[in-house]
Structure formats: C-alpha cells, structure tokens
Amino acid sequence: MAAAVVILVAVIVLSAVGFAVTEGVRYDGAVQVHAEQPLHLKDAYGNEQVIPLSDLVPSHANQAVSAEIMDDEGWGMRMVERRALDRKGFAFKLDMGSVQAFCARCYSAAGFAANLQFGYFPHHRAGVLATASLGGGTYGLSKSFERHSLGLEAQWFPLGLWRIHLGGFGHAGWQIGREEDSLSRTGIALGGGAILEIALTTRLALMARADWTTAHNAPDGGWGNTQLFTGGLAIY
C-alpha cells in the first residue's frame, strides 16, 4: 500500500508540474500591436482571411468565429499587463504537507499527507471540487497508520488584497482509517478549514491550507480527528 501511494503521488506531482507549465503560465491580459499587424480571421466553414488590423470592420467580425494574431509575424506584440487571478472555470489543485491523527489508539500520530482536487468555479469567488486525500505515517513504537479520504469540497474566497486571497472551505465524504495492527475502517467524514492563495499569474497561485476533519472510523468505533497542514499549487 505504501509503495502504491508513493507511486501515485509521484504521478500526480508530475501532472501538476505539466499543468503549471502549460496552463498556469499562459498569458491572459492586454497587449499592444501595430495597426498593420496581420489578423487571421476564420469563419464557421474553416475558411481563413488575413487582413491588417486597421482594415477590420464590423462585417468581418460578424462573419468570423475566431481571430488570431501571431507574435512571430509582422511587428509582433508587446504584453502590457496580466489580468488578475481569475478562478472562473475548471480548477486543478495539489498540495502536500503533514497529517496528525488523534484517537484512542493513535494519539499523537504524525506523517505525510497530500490532497488532489479537481472541480469547477462558476464564480470567481466560489467553487466545488472533488477531493482525494492520502495520508499516513507512524505512531508509538514505529507502527504505521493511514488516513485516506474521498469527498466533495466547497471553497469560498471572500477576501482579496492585491495578490493575496483568503478563504475558507468545508467538505464531506468518507475516510478510510487503519493502524498497523488493525483492519481498515471506513466512515463518514466532515471537516473544513482556512485556505490562503498568493496569485502568480491569471491562472496560477501558490496555496496553503489548514484542515480539520472528524471521521466516524476510530478504532473504538467512535469519532477520530485528523489535522492537515499543507501547501501547493492551484491551477485555474
């Protein structure tokens, strides 16, 4: 199980790096171009027409379904200013850090945790994400424990100052818990916490999370708590 988790986390990290390079650094913002810069217009039938930007008239725009300006053609373009962080649309998030578990037989257990999230933000400030959380470590006399969760999470970012955005989240789902000398136990899990994002581009932000979760899967049949403190990337 431990080896499978390590391999899965490695694959997820590589995927996140790929998304960050292709989507996160993509430029969204204002540009300056020369009036005679070639403009490539395509209609609904796939036909392309190339005209100088200064010759563009409403009839061209009415017939076109897309327009492109190439940065390696003509006079090129000058990037003026990126747009602010925009969450609206699909989102991919990955964060890693520490997990602590508290229950009758695993008091003060600590280890490694990672969260993988994919979802949609219908509004810049609010969204819903499917979440998979992997966690585990050691307790007592080097005995191992695991805490893995699946669920849905709602995020809300009411506060923003320049590049800094502060919000909260709540989630519900199921958590699988296991200690080295016991069988796996699955129970409903509820939790929430605070989240901080620092915008790097229009689609990429650094992220830090503090998460508290309680799940009905403690060894004694009751509720056990876990705390996660993690940091990572948010790609929109």
Side-chain angles (χ1 to χ4, degrees):
M1 176 66 74
V5 170
V6 170
I7 293 173
L8 179 59
V9 170
V11 171
I12 292 171
V13 169
L14 292 175
S15 300
V17 171
F19 276 122
V21 171
T22 59
E23 295 299 316
V25 301
R26 184 180 65 184
Y27 183 81
D28 289 278
V31 298
Q32 284 184 342
V33 296
H34 194 279
E36 298 304 310
Q37 177 71 21
L39 179 63
H40 297 253
L41 301 173
K42 286 187 178 181
D43 61 22
Y45 302 100
N47 300 316
E48 182 176 295
Q49 181 183 11
V50 182
I51 62 172
L53 182 60
S54 59
D55 289 350
L56 183 66
V57 295
S59 62
H60 290 133
N62 292 336
Q63 296 174 10
V65 295
S66 69
E68 290 183 324
I69 292 177
M70 311 298 182
D71 60 359
D72 60 351
E73 182 180 50
W75 287 264
M77 64 182 71
R78 185 170 75 89
M79 298 178 182
V80 179
E81 184 178 6
R82 284 185 183 271
R83 292 169 52 226
L85 181 67
D86 184 4
R87 297 184 186 87
K88 191 172 183 179
F90 288 100
F92 175 86
K93 300 189 177 188
L94 174 67
D95 54 274
M96 294 178 287
S98 65
V99 58
Q100 290 181 301
F102 303 92
C103 62
R105 293 176 57 194
C106 56
Y107 180 76
S108 193
F112 172 82
N115 291 312
L116 172 66
Q117 298 182 306
F118 183 79
Y120 187 80
F121 277 70
H123 187 274
H124 169 68
R125 295 187 182 275
V128 177
L129 302 103
T131 302
S133 178
L134 303 174
T138 58
Y139 73 101
L141 299 175
S142 298
K143 294 183 178 181
S144 64
F145 77 96
E146 297 173 20
R147 294 293 185 272
H148 308 310
S149 303
L150 289 174
L152 288 176
E153 179 172 295
Q155 295 185 355
W156 181 45
F157 292 87
L159 302 176
L161 177 62
W162 189 53
R163 293 178 180 269
I164 300 174
H165 303 260
L166 182 63
F169 60 87
H171 53 75
W174 294 266
Q175 185 184 88
I176 300 172
R178 190 182 76 85
E179 281 67 53
E180 187 174 296
D181 54 355
S182 65
L183 298 176
S184 297
R185 307 169 306 278
T186 302
I188 188 171
L190 305 171
I195 183 170
L196 171 71
E197 289 188 350
I198 301 176
L200 299 179
T201 70
T202 308
R203 300 291 175 182
L204 179 65
L206 295 177
M207 174 179 60
R209 288 168 55 100
D211 183 341
W212 177 85
T213 300
T214 183
H216 194 263
N217 63 353
D220 59 3
W223 293 81
N225 302 327
T226 54
Q227 294 178 354
L228 278 72
F229 298 96
T230 56
L233 293 175
I235 305 169
Y236 297 102

